[in-house]
Amino acid sequence: MGSQLLSTVERREVLPESYIRPESDRPRLAEVTTDSNVPLIDLASPDKQRVIAEIGLACRTYGFFQVINHGIEGELLEKMMAVGLQFFRLPPEEKEKLHSDEPSKKIRLSTSFNVRKETVHNWRDYLRLHCHPLEEFLPEWPSNPESFKEIVSEYCREVRRLGLRLLGMISLSLGLEEDYIEKALGEQEQHMAVNYYPQCPEPELTYGLPKHTDPNALTVLLQDPNVAGLQVLKDGGRWIAVNPRPNAFVINLGDQLQALSNGAYKSVWHRAVVNAAQERMSVASFLCPCNSAVISPAPGLVRDGDAPVYRSYTYDEYYSKFWSRNLDQEHCLELFRCAQLQLQ
């Protein structure tokens, strides 16, 4: 066996040295603030043009937003959280069947982020699932807990429907055709990370996940309704806590939407912090371009005579580059910036 899962060991009183961040790279939890202006979008609003404008403003200024009245039943969200927690409470020998540190595996249980490359570990276990096409991957999903496949498959179908709807609204907010982004991304893959953050003896010394952006197009995040942990970076280097709202999703823009928008919209830097008193769960669903999709700024967003901010590339090229680096290095998109702009 490679790395040891945090969810299989007894609660620790002292943080192991392999999780302790250098002093210059710690969360400084006392400096984190809240922001009463975090964008909250009501998808049931009858004023669709206003909703699209609010989404556009959120994408330009924050790189994320929360949605309510999104059409997914609160009961399903509760079931998703419950069955995820049941999975992480399974006996060690049951979880070991899925344990792997190989990033290319499409269904695996692992810990931290990329234990093969990182020098400091993160206080997190996670179950990684590929979810589309569902019929292709569902047979390999966990059969224990017994209700896992039924609940999670229904959740994945609903989240995909919501994600594609949001991509259409983001397209419209950029002044593009509603289906432009969906077509540009090709037949989108869908991945899921069911994250488990155990109680941590010294949360000020480590992260659940350090600062990073998401390499995909759009992330639909279901937060633990009872325990905060998500933080996003605002202009000026200020971290703000995104506290959970009942039956809401957090929508993060990924790197591919920053590229497609020619830098007009931003992929949000975010991190997960941990808690001394309580364990925490989250479920992140990722809409990803198909590997062969060629990503480049939409022609309508590049002014005449200007160079695009980013060169064209395939998503396969981008994703390979992302996984070859440490999670908290510089923005991976910087490696794809057009040469003439790098010289400025």
Side-chain angles (χ1 to χ4, degrees):
M1 187 176 97
S3 59
Q4 187 173 25
L5 297 169
L6 292 169
S7 55
T8 62
V9 298
E10 294 294 323
R11 184 181 174 189
R12 296 177 171 93
E13 299 301 323
V14 177
L15 188 69
E17 189 173 344
S18 60
Y19 292 87
I20 297 176
R21 291 271 162 180
E23 194 166 343
S24 61
D25 182 28
R26 292 179 183 171
R28 301 186 183 186
L29 300 173
E31 298 177 13
V32 176
T33 61
T34 56
D35 185 342
S36 59
N37 296 317
V38 165
L40 180 66
I41 312 293
D42 183 352
L43 293 182
S45 168
D47 190 344
K48 299 305 178 188
Q49 290 307 118
R50 179 179 176 182
V51 170
I52 290 166
E54 288 176 347
I55 287 175
L57 180 61
C59 292
R60 282 193 300 274
T61 56
Y62 280 81
F64 83 102
F65 50 93
Q66 296 187 85
V67 293
I68 55 173
N69 296 321
H70 40 66
I72 302 179
E73 293 293 331
E75 183 182 5
L76 179 58
L77 307 189
E78 292 172 5
K79 286 181 177 179
M80 180 65 239
M81 277 292 181
V83 80
L85 186 56
Q86 289 168 25
F87 173 84
F88 282 102
R89 289 181 173 166
L90 290 173
E93 60 272 16
E94 187 69 24
K95 288 186 287 192
E96 189 55 37
K97 296 174 184 177
L98 289 169
H99 188 187
S100 173
D101 296 333
E102 172 50 58
S104 64
K105 285 196 72 171
K106 296 188 175 183
I107 298 167
R108 66 189 178 101
L109 173 63
S110 193
T111 192
S112 190
F113 175 70
N114 187 353
V115 293
R116 294 185 172 185
K117 287 194 61 65
E118 63 201 18
T119 55
V120 181
H121 298 321
N122 305 297
W123 198 255
R124 173 185 82 137
D125 286 351
Y126 63 99
L127 176 63
R128 185 83 176 191
L129 301 175
H130 278 226
C131 312
H132 185 80
L134 198 53
E135 61 275 9
E136 178 181 337
F137 298 111
L138 186 61
E140 303 303 317
W141 283 10
S143 299
N144 194 2
E146 190 175 338
S147 60
F148 187 93
K149 288 183 178 180
E150 179 184 354
I151 292 170
V152 179
S153 59
E154 182 184 359
Y155 178 83
C156 287
R157 282 191 288 266
E158 292 292 330
V159 165
R160 184 176 184 85
R161 191 176 297 118
L162 172 62
L164 294 176
R165 177 185 171 196
L166 289 168
L167 285 177
M169 299 174 89
I170 291 169
S171 262
L172 290 170
S173 74
L174 284 164
L176 304 170
E177 294 294 322
E178 185 171 4
D179 62 355
Y180 179 88
I181 291 177
E182 186 174 347
K183 285 182 175 178
L185 299 177
E187 182 58 32
Q188 292 174 67
E189 293 189 4
Q190 182 180 348
H191 309 165
M192 170 190 282
V194 184
N195 299 307
Y196 176 71
Y197 304 97
Q199 289 173 269
C200 179
E202 298 176 279
E204 69 279 2
L205 301 182
T206 193
Y207 293 104
L209 278 174
K211 179 182 79 168
H212 65 285
T213 63
D214 291 340
N216 51 296
L218 195 73
T219 301
V220 180
L221 178 71
L222 177 61
Q223 292 209 77
D224 190 312
N226 303 311
V227 188
L230 174 65
Q231 298 177 353
V232 301
L233 188 62
K234 277 288 288 171
D235 295 337
R238 179 171 57 96
W239 285 100
I240 61 170
V242 183
N243 293 323
R245 297 183 66 99
N247 296 329
F249 286 106
V250 176
I251 310 299
N252 287 347
L253 268 65
D255 296 348
Q256 307 318 309
L257 289 187
Q258 180 167 325
L260 282 168
S261 71
N262 201 36
Y265 290 176
K266 61 180 185 178
S267 177
V268 63
W269 286 97
H270 56 289
R271 67 187 188 182
V273 297
V274 288
N275 191 294
Q278 295 174 280
E279 62 191 356
R280 176 177 174 262
M281 294 278 301
S282 71
V283 181
S285 298
F286 308 101
L287 288 182
C288 311
C290 69
N291 283 337
S292 60
V294 177
I295 307 297
S296 61
L301 302 179
V302 181
R303 291 182 299 185
D304 290 344
D306 286 354
V309 176
Y310 304 106
R311 68 170 177 83
S312 297
Y313 55 84
T314 64
Y315 185 62
D316 186 52
E317 180 186 3
Y318 192 92
Y319 202 63
S320 297
K321 186 72 71 176
F322 180 86
W323 273 99
S324 71
R325 310 158 72 249
N326 287 330
L327 186 62
D328 53 355
Q329 283 181 255
E330 70 168 348
H331 203 309
C332 191
L333 260 182
E334 290 302 310
L335 304 176
F336 297 85
R337 188 176 283 271
C338 284
Q340 56 265 54
L341 293 174
Q342 290 176 333
L343 297 174
Q344 292 178 3

